Amino acid sequence: WIQGGAGNPVYDLAVAAGIGAFVQDFDDIITINNGAVVDDSTMNWAAFDEAYICMQRFAETAFVENRTEDLQEISLRAQLQACNWFPLGFPTDNLDKVIEWYSIDYETSLIAESSSLFGSFPQYTYIFYEDVDYLVTDQTTGFNGIVDYMINTLISKQPYYNVRVTNIDTQNSNGAVVSMQNGQTACTPITAKRVISTLSVGVLDTVTDLFTPPFPSDKKAAMNKVYEMGLYYKFFFEFTRES
């Protein structure tokens, strides 16, 4: 998915690269229970949506008032309960579980009690950019088309392939020095004014010798506050098209 439309640099690159995608309609779903299609109007979507909006507003207000650092970390489960979604427990009905799975587990890859409230909200993507998601359906290049477009049109130097970054030294007077290795062979270091890291917080939290100097204690403490990094598994289904 490309999350966030107009104004999102990734979306703009996908458009420029001609990547095939379409708007994802997350409301167009069918729920089946015991072999029968369930009428959405008989499910507790309205009650959950009210609790979800309540949870979202609480987090956004805390952020605007700069209180997120002062408040103890809160799980999505705790705040959902505070917003009257099963305030004394957990969903037990299968249809209520489906609502919560689709809205929480599916989005975060974690159950509500393992997901951080302030790690989930505010959702800056939909604040700064168009509130829409695009599902990439390009069968030719997929997301790789964005990388190819950037290499061919935006980058003046040949990119490095099959190398591993071994150290990023920011103590050099000329800028940051990036050391790399190709297999067992060291590559010529690169010096740059700025280095952009795309490593996730979960990876950064496990890295001990990549950065020189190491992260200061306040940065490490912030990374350690992250609840847990969830995992996604991707399944592909191929259907025979009948004429």
Side-chain angles (χ1 to χ4, degrees):
W1 281 279
I2 298 174
Q3 294 184 301
N8 180 354
V10 176
Y11 169 78
D12 295 339
L13 282 171
V15 171
I19 302 298
F22 69 91
V23 174
Q24 184 76 65
D25 183 359
F26 288 101
D27 293 325
D28 185 12
I29 60 174
I30 295 175
T31 305
I32 298 175
N33 189 33
N34 295 323
V37 176
V38 179
D39 182 352
D40 273 359
S41 65
T42 65
M43 298 175 65
N44 289 326
W45 281 108
F48 180 85
D49 288 344
E50 184 177 343
Y52 190 91
I53 292 172
C54 164
M55 174 176 67
Q56 187 175 17
R57 286 176 176 169
F58 176 85
E60 290 176 351
T61 300
F63 173 76
V64 170
E65 296 176 354
N66 198 27
R67 294 189 294 117
T68 56
E69 293 297 325
D70 300 328
L71 293 170
Q72 184 177 358
E73 183 57 271
I74 304 169
S75 70
L76 295 187
R77 168 69 63 212
Q79 194 57 40
L80 281 172
Q81 290 174 334
C83 289
N84 292 319
W85 175 254
F86 293 92
L88 300 179
F90 306 86
T92 56
D93 180 81
N94 284 339
L95 293 179
D96 291 334
K97 290 180 180 179
V98 165
I99 291 174
E100 191 170 295
W101 179 90
Y102 184 69
S103 305
I104 302 294
D105 305 33
Y106 170 67
E107 287 293 332
T108 67
S109 79
L110 294 168
I111 57 178
E113 47 267 38
S114 297
S115 297
S116 164
L117 175 65
F118 298 129
S120 302
F121 300 103
Q123 294 181 321
Y124 302 109
T125 296
Y126 305 116
I127 294 174
F128 299 138
Y129 310 133
E130 181 188 11
D131 186 1
V132 65
D133 288 345
Y134 288 87
L135 179 64
V136 174
T137 57
D138 197 295
Q139 300 298 306
T140 305
T141 64
F143 272 112
N144 197 57
I146 297 177
V147 179
D148 291 339
Y149 171 79
M150 294 176 66
I151 292 173
N152 294 330
T153 62
L154 303 178
I155 300 176
S156 59
K157 295 183 179 181
Q158 181 66 21
Y160 286 81
Y161 295 103
N162 302 317
V163 298
R164 181 174 64 89
V165 174
T166 56
N167 187 257
I168 300 173
D169 187 347
T170 57
Q171 297 181 125
N172 192 288
S173 58
N174 295 322
V177 178
V178 181
S179 300
M180 301 172 294
Q181 195 167 319
N182 187 343
Q184 300 299 318
T185 305
C187 304
T188 303
I190 297 175
T191 301
K193 293 181 179 179
R194 300 285 189 273
V195 175
I196 300 175
S197 171
T198 59
L199 296 176
S200 69
V201 174
V203 173
L204 287 175
D205 195 29
T206 63
V207 172
T208 57
D209 57 355
L210 181 60
F211 294 91
T212 303
F215 286 122
S217 57
D218 60 331
K219 297 293 191 298
K220 291 293 292 182
M223 288 187 288
N224 289 333
K225 286 177 63 176
V226 175
Y227 263 47
E228 183 180 349
M229 297 300 293
L231 297 176
Y232 281 105
Y233 293 92
K234 185 179 293 185
F235 294 88
F236 294 91
F237 295 89
E238 184 174 353
F239 300 92
T240 301
R241 182 183 298 273
E242 297 182 0
S243 57

